[in-house]
Amino acid sequence: AAPGVPLSSERYIEGVEVSSEIETVRLGDVCEKCKQINPTSLERKTFRYIDIDCIDNEALRINDPQTLGVDEAPSSARKLVKTADVLFSTVRPYLRNIARVPSYLDGEIASTGLAVLRTNPERVYPDYLFFIVANQRFVDKVNALTTGASYPAVTENDLLDQEIPLPSLDEQRRIVEEIAGYQKVIDGARGIVGGWKPSYILNSGCERIVLDD
């Protein structure tokens, strides 16, 4: 977006145009509780384990979760996830290890180091919640609550106590559509830059010199 012209979501996230007409709610009041289970209770021999390390904190997506046998599950593999859940790392939140659960990982298991934000569909559009919690200002607010020098982390309760702006569902969808449009442009630009390889045609008559170290 052009400087000084914020995206619709930024008006709400950054507080630029939040008015008394926009409801502000506690995150925990619009999210449903995630079920914790032991993978051995799954009716299958293997599961895919979503830990913090498999989240790409630049693309904000899950990459290559491990496939583990239920009998070799680490003690941190406890959170049953569903499609469209938003995962937010409570460990070193400043790293922005945040992602949405794609449909192919429905029913798989996430680490206890990840808060699972499952929206109440009557109040929050999942993609809107994702854009809100992935915003840098929200991340900074959560990071300010961390404790521990060598292993800074925030409690899930502290995360759920954060307030977010909550416009109507129709407005939430409009915001998501606008951001998605900009994201396509950004992704397209990244693809062009990533695939660009400079080529040089050297004139045989050009002088060549050795560069010093």
Side-chain angles (χ1 to χ4, degrees), residues 98-185:
I98 305 165
R100 287 167 284 196
V101 176
S103 58
Y104 80 92
L105 291 176
D106 183 74
E108 301 298 344
I109 306 295
S111 166
T112 53
L114 293 166
V116 178
L117 305 177
R118 182 170 301 149
T119 63
N120 176 340
E122 295 182 356
R123 301 200 66 189
V124 187
Y125 192 48
D127 285 347
Y128 172 79
L129 178 68
F130 170 73
F131 288 127
I132 285 286
V133 301
N135 176 264
Q136 190 61 53
R137 178 168 290 190
F138 182 89
V139 171
D140 289 344
K141 284 173 60 180
V142 173
N143 190 61
L145 302 173
T146 58
T147 59
S150 59
Y151 193 75
V154 65
T155 68
E156 194 162 321
N157 284 338
D158 281 341
L159 173 63
L160 295 174
D161 277 341
Q162 299 308 299
E163 292 191 339
I164 63 169
L166 193 69
S168 68
L169 285 172
D170 286 343
E171 179 68 2
Q172 290 177 39
R173 290 189 181 95
R174 190 186 69 77
I175 290 168
V176 168
E177 289 171 1
E178 184 176 342
I179 294 176
Y182 281 103
Q183 192 60 53
K184 287 180 181 178
V185 174

Side-chain angles (χ1 to χ4, degrees), residues 18-197:
V18 174
S19 70
S20 58
E21 297 177 2
I22 303 298
E23 181 183 9
T24 300
V25 299
R26 177 179 168 273
L27 184 57
D29 290 340
V30 293
C31 289
E32 301 174 357
K33 192 170 181 61
C34 168
K35 184 179 180 181
Q36 294 205 30
I37 67 167
N38 189 317
T40 57
S41 67
L42 296 171
E43 296 180 353
R44 57 183 192 266
K45 295 181 179 180
T46 64
F47 69 98
R48 280 175 285 196
Y49 177 46
I50 307 165
D51 64 0
I52 296 171
D53 289 341
C54 73
I55 294 182
D56 181 336
N57 64 359
E58 292 187 2
L60 301 183
R61 64 171 60 102
I62 299 167
N63 286 337
D64 303 321
Q66 303 176 68
T67 297
L68 300 175
V70 295
D71 56 351
E72 58 179 344
S75 60
S76 58
R78 289 293 182 270
K79 294 192 171 182
L80 186 67
V81 301
K82 296 182 179 180
T83 301
D85 283 347
V86 177
L87 306 182
F88 189 106
S89 175
T90 55
V91 180
R92 296 183 176 86
Y94 61 86
L95 293 177
R96 291 181 79 233
N97 287 310
I98 305 165
R100 287 167 284 196
V101 176
S103 58
Y104 80 92
L105 291 176
D106 183 74
E108 301 298 344
I109 306 295
S111 166
T112 53
L114 293 166
V116 178
L117 305 177
R118 182 170 301 149
T119 63
N120 176 340
E122 295 182 356
R123 301 200 66 189
V124 187
Y125 192 48
D127 285 347
Y128 172 79
L129 178 68
F130 170 73
F131 288 127
I132 285 286
V133 301
N135 176 264
Q136 190 61 53
R137 178 168 290 190
F138 182 89
V139 171
D140 289 344
K141 284 173 60 180
V142 173
N143 190 61
L145 302 173
T146 58
T147 59
S150 59
Y151 193 75
V154 65
T155 68
E156 194 162 321
N157 284 338
D158 281 341
L159 173 63
L160 295 174
D161 277 341
Q162 299 308 299
E163 292 191 339
I164 63 169
L166 193 69
S168 68
L169 285 172
D170 286 343
E171 179 68 2
Q172 290 177 39
R173 290 189 181 95
R174 190 186 69 77
I175 290 168
V176 168
E177 289 171 1
E178 184 176 342
I179 294 176
Y182 281 103
Q183 192 60 53
K184 287 180 181 178
V185 174
I186 293 170
D187 290 343
R190 283 177 175 167
I192 292 171
V193 172
W196 179 70
K197 295 181 180 179

